[in-house]
Short mmCIF file of all heavy atoms in Angstrom, two decimals:
data_model
loop_
_atom_site.label_atom_id
_atom_site.label_comp_id
_atom_site.label_asym_id
_atom_site.label_seq_id
_atom_site.Cartn_x
_atom_site.Cartn_y
_atom_site.Cartn_z
N HIS A 1 -4.44 7.95 20.50
CA HIS A 1 -3.49 8.81 19.87
C HIS A 1 -3.78 9.04 18.41
O HIS A 1 -3.72 10.17 17.90
CB HIS A 1 -2.06 8.20 20.01
CG HIS A 1 -0.96 9.12 19.55
ND1 HIS A 1 0.21 8.65 18.99
CD2 HIS A 1 -0.85 10.47 19.52
CE1 HIS A 1 1.00 9.64 18.68
NE2 HIS A 1 0.37 10.75 19.00
N ILE A 2 -4.17 7.93 17.75
CA ILE A 2 -4.53 8.07 16.29
C ILE A 2 -5.77 8.95 16.11
O ILE A 2 -5.78 9.84 15.26
CB ILE A 2 -4.80 6.63 15.72
CG1 ILE A 2 -3.47 5.89 15.63
CG2 ILE A 2 -5.49 6.71 14.41
CD1 ILE A 2 -3.61 4.44 15.22
N LEU A 3 -6.78 8.70 16.91
CA LEU A 3 -8.04 9.44 16.76
C LEU A 3 -7.87 10.93 17.10
O LEU A 3 -8.51 11.82 16.48
CB LEU A 3 -9.16 8.83 17.63
CG LEU A 3 -9.60 7.43 17.21
CD1 LEU A 3 -10.61 6.91 18.18
CD2 LEU A 3 -10.15 7.43 15.80
N ARG A 4 -7.06 11.24 18.10
CA ARG A 4 -6.89 12.61 18.53
C ARG A 4 -6.07 13.48 17.56
O ARG A 4 -6.27 14.66 17.39
CB ARG A 4 -6.29 12.69 19.95
CG ARG A 4 -7.26 12.45 21.05
CD ARG A 4 -6.69 12.94 22.40
NE ARG A 4 -5.43 12.27 22.68
CZ ARG A 4 -5.29 11.15 23.35
NH1 ARG A 4 -6.37 10.59 23.87
NH2 ARG A 4 -4.12 10.60 23.61
N ASN A 5 -5.02 12.84 17.03
CA ASN A 5 -3.99 13.67 16.33
C ASN A 5 -3.98 13.41 14.81
O ASN A 5 -3.17 14.05 14.08
CB ASN A 5 -2.60 13.33 16.89
CG ASN A 5 -2.54 13.63 18.34
OD1 ASN A 5 -2.60 14.78 18.73
ND2 ASN A 5 -2.38 12.59 19.18
N SER A 6 -4.78 12.54 14.27
CA SER A 6 -4.66 12.24 12.83
C SER A 6 -5.56 13.12 12.02
O SER A 6 -6.61 13.54 12.41
CB SER A 6 -5.02 10.79 12.62
OG SER A 6 -6.36 10.52 13.05
N ASN A 7 -5.04 13.42 10.86
CA ASN A 7 -5.84 13.97 9.79
C ASN A 7 -5.26 13.54 8.45
O ASN A 7 -4.34 12.64 8.46
CB ASN A 7 -5.88 15.53 9.82
CG ASN A 7 -4.46 16.14 9.82
OD1 ASN A 7 -3.60 15.70 9.10
ND2 ASN A 7 -4.22 17.13 10.66
N ASP A 8 -5.72 14.08 7.37
CA ASP A 8 -5.29 13.57 6.05
C ASP A 8 -3.82 13.63 5.88
O ASP A 8 -3.17 12.88 5.13
CB ASP A 8 -6.00 14.36 4.95
CG ASP A 8 -5.79 13.78 3.59
OD1 ASP A 8 -5.58 12.53 3.50
OD2 ASP A 8 -5.77 14.49 2.61
N GLU A 9 -3.18 14.64 6.50
CA GLU A 9 -1.76 14.88 6.30
C GLU A 9 -0.82 13.97 7.07
O GLU A 9 0.20 13.50 6.65
CB GLU A 9 -1.34 16.35 6.58
CG GLU A 9 -1.80 17.35 5.55
CD GLU A 9 -3.28 17.65 5.58
OE1 GLU A 9 -3.88 17.49 6.68
OE2 GLU A 9 -3.84 17.90 4.51
N ASN A 10 -1.21 13.65 8.30
CA ASN A 10 -0.30 12.87 9.19
C ASN A 10 -0.82 11.57 9.71
O ASN A 10 -0.15 10.96 10.49
CB ASN A 10 0.09 13.78 10.35
CG ASN A 10 -1.09 14.10 11.29
OD1 ASN A 10 -2.13 13.54 11.17
ND2 ASN A 10 -0.87 15.00 12.24
N ILE A 11 -2.02 11.16 9.24
CA ILE A 11 -2.61 9.92 9.84
C ILE A 11 -1.68 8.70 9.64
O ILE A 11 -1.55 7.90 10.47
CB ILE A 11 -4.03 9.69 9.32
CG1 ILE A 11 -4.66 8.57 10.01
CG2 ILE A 11 -4.03 9.44 7.75
CD1 ILE A 11 -6.14 8.37 9.75
N TRP A 12 -1.12 8.62 8.42
CA TRP A 12 -0.26 7.46 8.14
C TRP A 12 1.06 7.49 8.90
O TRP A 12 1.58 6.43 9.26
CB TRP A 12 -0.06 7.31 6.65
CG TRP A 12 -1.35 7.30 5.87
CD1 TRP A 12 -1.67 8.09 4.79
CD2 TRP A 12 -2.49 6.43 6.05
NE1 TRP A 12 -2.93 7.78 4.35
CE2 TRP A 12 -3.46 6.78 5.12
CE3 TRP A 12 -2.74 5.41 7.00
CZ2 TRP A 12 -4.69 6.13 5.01
CZ3 TRP A 12 -4.01 4.79 6.91
CH2 TRP A 12 -4.93 5.15 5.95
N LYS A 13 1.57 8.68 9.13
CA LYS A 13 2.80 8.80 9.94
C LYS A 13 2.55 8.28 11.35
O LYS A 13 3.35 7.52 11.94
CB LYS A 13 3.30 10.24 9.97
CG LYS A 13 3.85 10.77 8.71
CD LYS A 13 4.32 12.24 8.88
CE LYS A 13 4.90 12.79 7.59
NZ LYS A 13 5.32 14.17 7.73
N ILE A 14 1.43 8.70 11.94
CA ILE A 14 1.11 8.27 13.29
C ILE A 14 0.89 6.77 13.36
O ILE A 14 1.35 6.09 14.28
CB ILE A 14 -0.16 9.01 13.79
CG1 ILE A 14 0.15 10.52 13.94
CG2 ILE A 14 -0.62 8.44 15.13
CD1 ILE A 14 -1.07 11.34 14.33
N LEU A 15 0.22 6.24 12.29
CA LEU A 15 -0.08 4.77 12.27
C LEU A 15 1.24 4.03 12.22
O LEU A 15 1.45 3.04 12.98
CB LEU A 15 -0.96 4.44 11.08
CG LEU A 15 -1.17 2.95 10.88
CD1 LEU A 15 -1.90 2.33 12.03
CD2 LEU A 15 -1.93 2.72 9.54
N LEU A 16 2.21 4.47 11.38
CA LEU A 16 3.46 3.71 11.28
C LEU A 16 4.21 3.74 12.62
O LEU A 16 4.77 2.74 13.02
CB LEU A 16 4.34 4.39 10.17
CG LEU A 16 3.99 4.00 8.75
CD1 LEU A 16 5.04 4.55 7.81
CD2 LEU A 16 3.91 2.51 8.53
N LYS A 17 4.24 4.90 13.25
CA LYS A 17 4.93 4.95 14.52
C LYS A 17 4.33 4.01 15.55
O LYS A 17 5.05 3.31 16.26
CB LYS A 17 4.90 6.38 15.05
CG LYS A 17 5.69 6.59 16.35
CD LYS A 17 5.65 7.98 16.81
CE LYS A 17 6.47 8.19 18.09
NZ LYS A 17 6.18 7.24 19.15
N GLU A 18 3.01 3.97 15.64
CA GLU A 18 2.33 3.09 16.62
C GLU A 18 2.58 1.62 16.29
O GLU A 18 2.83 0.81 17.21
CB GLU A 18 0.83 3.32 16.65
CG GLU A 18 0.48 4.73 17.11
CD GLU A 18 0.84 5.02 18.59
OE1 GLU A 18 1.07 4.02 19.28
OE2 GLU A 18 0.88 6.19 18.94
N ILE A 19 2.57 1.28 15.03
CA ILE A 19 2.81 -0.15 14.62
C ILE A 19 4.29 -0.51 14.85
O ILE A 19 4.60 -1.56 15.35
CB ILE A 19 2.38 -0.36 13.16
CG1 ILE A 19 0.88 -0.41 13.11
CG2 ILE A 19 3.01 -1.68 12.61
CD1 ILE A 19 0.29 -0.65 11.73
N GLN A 20 5.19 0.41 14.56
CA GLN A 20 6.63 0.12 14.80
C GLN A 20 6.94 -0.11 16.28
O GLN A 20 7.78 -0.89 16.64
CB GLN A 20 7.47 1.25 14.21
CG GLN A 20 8.04 1.05 12.84
CD GLN A 20 8.99 -0.08 12.74
OE1 GLN A 20 8.70 -1.21 13.04
NE2 GLN A 20 10.23 0.26 12.32
N ASP A 21 6.21 0.63 17.13
CA ASP A 21 6.35 0.44 18.60
C ASP A 21 5.94 -1.02 19.00
O ASP A 21 6.44 -1.51 19.96
CB ASP A 21 5.53 1.42 19.34
CG ASP A 21 6.13 2.87 19.32
OD1 ASP A 21 7.28 2.96 18.89
OD2 ASP A 21 5.43 3.75 19.71
N ILE A 22 5.06 -1.62 18.17
CA ILE A 22 4.64 -2.95 18.51
C ILE A 22 5.55 -4.03 17.88
O ILE A 22 6.00 -4.98 18.50
CB ILE A 22 3.19 -3.18 18.02
CG1 ILE A 22 2.22 -2.21 18.74
CG2 ILE A 22 2.73 -4.61 18.23
CD1 ILE A 22 0.86 -2.15 18.13
N ILE A 23 5.92 -3.80 16.62
CA ILE A 23 6.58 -4.92 15.86
C ILE A 23 8.10 -4.71 15.76
O ILE A 23 8.85 -5.68 15.64
CB ILE A 23 5.99 -5.02 14.41
CG1 ILE A 23 6.27 -3.79 13.57
CG2 ILE A 23 4.47 -5.26 14.51
CD1 ILE A 23 5.87 -3.92 12.14
N ASP A 24 8.57 -3.43 15.74
CA ASP A 24 10.01 -3.15 15.68
C ASP A 24 10.67 -3.88 14.51
O ASP A 24 11.65 -4.60 14.67
CB ASP A 24 10.66 -3.52 17.00
CG ASP A 24 12.11 -3.03 17.07
OD1 ASP A 24 12.36 -1.92 16.45
OD2 ASP A 24 12.94 -3.64 17.71
N PHE A 25 10.16 -3.65 13.28
CA PHE A 25 10.82 -4.22 12.06
C PHE A 25 11.81 -3.21 11.51
O PHE A 25 11.82 -2.02 11.92
CB PHE A 25 9.73 -4.49 11.02
CG PHE A 25 9.19 -5.90 11.07
CD1 PHE A 25 8.80 -6.45 12.31
CD2 PHE A 25 9.01 -6.65 9.95
CE1 PHE A 25 8.33 -7.72 12.39
CE2 PHE A 25 8.48 -7.94 10.02
CZ PHE A 25 8.13 -8.49 11.25
N ASP A 26 12.69 -3.66 10.59
CA ASP A 26 13.67 -2.75 10.04
C ASP A 26 12.98 -1.66 9.21
O ASP A 26 13.49 -0.50 9.18
CB ASP A 26 14.63 -3.49 9.08
CG ASP A 26 15.53 -4.47 9.87
OD1 ASP A 26 15.70 -4.25 11.09
OD2 ASP A 26 16.02 -5.48 9.29
N ARG A 27 11.93 -2.00 8.56
CA ARG A 27 11.26 -1.02 7.66
C ARG A 27 9.74 -1.18 7.77
O ARG A 27 9.20 -2.27 7.77
CB ARG A 27 11.72 -1.28 6.19
CG ARG A 27 11.20 -0.23 5.20
CD ARG A 27 11.45 -0.67 3.76
NE ARG A 27 12.80 -1.13 3.51
CZ ARG A 27 13.80 -0.24 3.28
NH1 ARG A 27 13.57 1.03 3.17
NH2 ARG A 27 15.04 -0.77 3.09
N ALA A 28 9.05 -0.07 7.89
CA ALA A 28 7.59 -0.02 7.90
C ALA A 28 7.12 0.99 6.85
O ALA A 28 7.63 2.14 6.88
CB ALA A 28 7.05 0.27 9.28
N MET A 29 6.23 0.62 5.96
CA MET A 29 5.81 1.51 4.89
C MET A 29 4.33 1.59 4.79
O MET A 29 3.63 0.62 5.10
CB MET A 29 6.42 0.99 3.54
CG MET A 29 7.92 0.84 3.49
SD MET A 29 8.48 0.02 1.95
CE MET A 29 8.03 -1.63 2.33
N ILE A 30 3.84 2.71 4.27
CA ILE A 30 2.47 2.80 3.82
C ILE A 30 2.50 2.74 2.29
O ILE A 30 3.09 3.58 1.64
CB ILE A 30 1.79 4.12 4.22
CG1 ILE A 30 1.72 4.22 5.77
CG2 ILE A 30 0.39 4.19 3.63
CD1 ILE A 30 0.83 3.26 6.44
N TYR A 31 1.89 1.69 1.75
CA TYR A 31 1.90 1.43 0.30
C TYR A 31 0.51 1.67 -0.22
O TYR A 31 -0.48 1.01 0.22
CB TYR A 31 2.33 -0.04 0.11
CG TYR A 31 2.41 -0.51 -1.32
CD1 TYR A 31 3.56 -0.39 -2.06
CD2 TYR A 31 1.29 -1.11 -1.94
CE1 TYR A 31 3.67 -0.85 -3.32
CE2 TYR A 31 1.34 -1.58 -3.23
CZ TYR A 31 2.55 -1.45 -3.95
OH TYR A 31 2.66 -1.86 -5.23
N GLN A 32 0.37 2.61 -1.17
CA GLN A 32 -0.95 2.95 -1.69
C GLN A 32 -1.11 2.37 -3.12
O GLN A 32 -0.21 2.54 -3.96
CB GLN A 32 -1.13 4.47 -1.76
CG GLN A 32 -2.48 4.86 -2.35
CD GLN A 32 -2.64 6.39 -2.49
OE1 GLN A 32 -1.73 7.14 -2.14
NE2 GLN A 32 -3.81 6.86 -2.95
N PHE A 33 -2.25 1.71 -3.33
CA PHE A 33 -2.50 1.24 -4.69
C PHE A 33 -2.99 2.41 -5.56
O PHE A 33 -3.79 3.21 -5.11
CB PHE A 33 -3.59 0.11 -4.69
CG PHE A 33 -3.14 -1.15 -4.03
CD1 PHE A 33 -3.53 -1.55 -2.77
CD2 PHE A 33 -2.27 -2.00 -4.76
CE1 PHE A 33 -3.10 -2.69 -2.20
CE2 PHE A 33 -1.82 -3.16 -4.18
CZ PHE A 33 -2.21 -3.53 -2.93
N LEU A 34 -2.49 2.41 -6.78
CA LEU A 34 -2.88 3.45 -7.74
C LEU A 34 -4.02 2.95 -8.63
O LEU A 34 -4.41 1.75 -8.53
CB LEU A 34 -1.67 3.90 -8.60
CG LEU A 34 -0.47 4.42 -7.73
CD1 LEU A 34 0.67 4.83 -8.60
CD2 LEU A 34 -0.88 5.54 -6.79
N TYR A 35 -4.52 3.78 -9.52
CA TYR A 35 -5.71 3.46 -10.27
C TYR A 35 -5.53 2.25 -11.20
O TYR A 35 -6.46 1.53 -11.53
CB TYR A 35 -6.17 4.63 -11.12
CG TYR A 35 -5.23 5.03 -12.20
CD1 TYR A 35 -5.36 4.54 -13.50
CD2 TYR A 35 -4.12 5.85 -11.95
CE1 TYR A 35 -4.49 4.94 -14.55
CE2 TYR A 35 -3.23 6.21 -12.96
CZ TYR A 35 -3.43 5.73 -14.27
OH TYR A 35 -2.54 6.07 -15.23
N ASP A 36 -4.27 1.96 -11.59
CA ASP A 36 -4.02 0.84 -12.50
C ASP A 36 -3.51 -0.38 -11.84
O ASP A 36 -3.11 -1.38 -12.48
CB ASP A 36 -2.96 1.26 -13.59
CG ASP A 36 -1.60 1.64 -12.98
OD1 ASP A 36 -1.53 1.72 -11.70
OD2 ASP A 36 -0.67 1.95 -13.72
N GLY A 37 -3.59 -0.49 -10.48
CA GLY A 37 -3.20 -1.64 -9.76
C GLY A 37 -1.75 -1.62 -9.31
O GLY A 37 -1.33 -2.42 -8.49
N SER A 38 -0.97 -0.68 -9.87
CA SER A 38 0.42 -0.53 -9.35
C SER A 38 0.36 0.18 -8.03
O SER A 38 -0.73 0.54 -7.55
CB SER A 38 1.24 0.26 -10.36
OG SER A 38 0.78 1.61 -10.50
N GLY A 39 1.56 0.41 -7.42
CA GLY A 39 1.53 1.03 -6.13
C GLY A 39 2.72 1.92 -5.87
O GLY A 39 3.66 1.91 -6.65
N GLN A 40 2.60 2.68 -4.77
CA GLN A 40 3.68 3.63 -4.47
C GLN A 40 3.82 3.73 -2.98
O GLN A 40 2.82 3.70 -2.23
CB GLN A 40 3.36 5.07 -5.04
CG GLN A 40 4.41 6.07 -4.73
CD GLN A 40 3.99 7.45 -5.27
OE1 GLN A 40 2.86 7.71 -5.63
NE2 GLN A 40 4.94 8.40 -5.31
#
């Protein structure tokens, strides 16, 4: 599913959905590190 449907715009959305189906946590996030070590 990830390989067939992912691209730069939606790859992280698909990944979160697949992982949530496995772990079922209250919150799942994609956290990106920025150039200064902080994150978003």
Side-chain angles (χ1 to χ4, degrees):
H1 188 211
I2 289 172
L3 293 177
R4 279 196 304 266
N5 301 294
S6 61
N7 56 42
D8 188 30
E9 285 74 29
N10 65 10
I11 189 168
W12 305 126
K13 289 182 181 179
I14 295 176
L15 174 62
L16 281 187
K17 183 180 183 307
E18 296 296 342
I19 287 181
Q20 266 292 62
D21 285 348
I22 298 168
I23 68 174
D24 191 29
F25 270 45
D26 292 338
R27 185 190 311 276
M29 301 173 285
I30 299 293
Y31 180 90
Q32 181 183 1
F33 289 106
L34 305 180
Y35 67 96
D36 59 356
S38 66
Q40 180 183 13

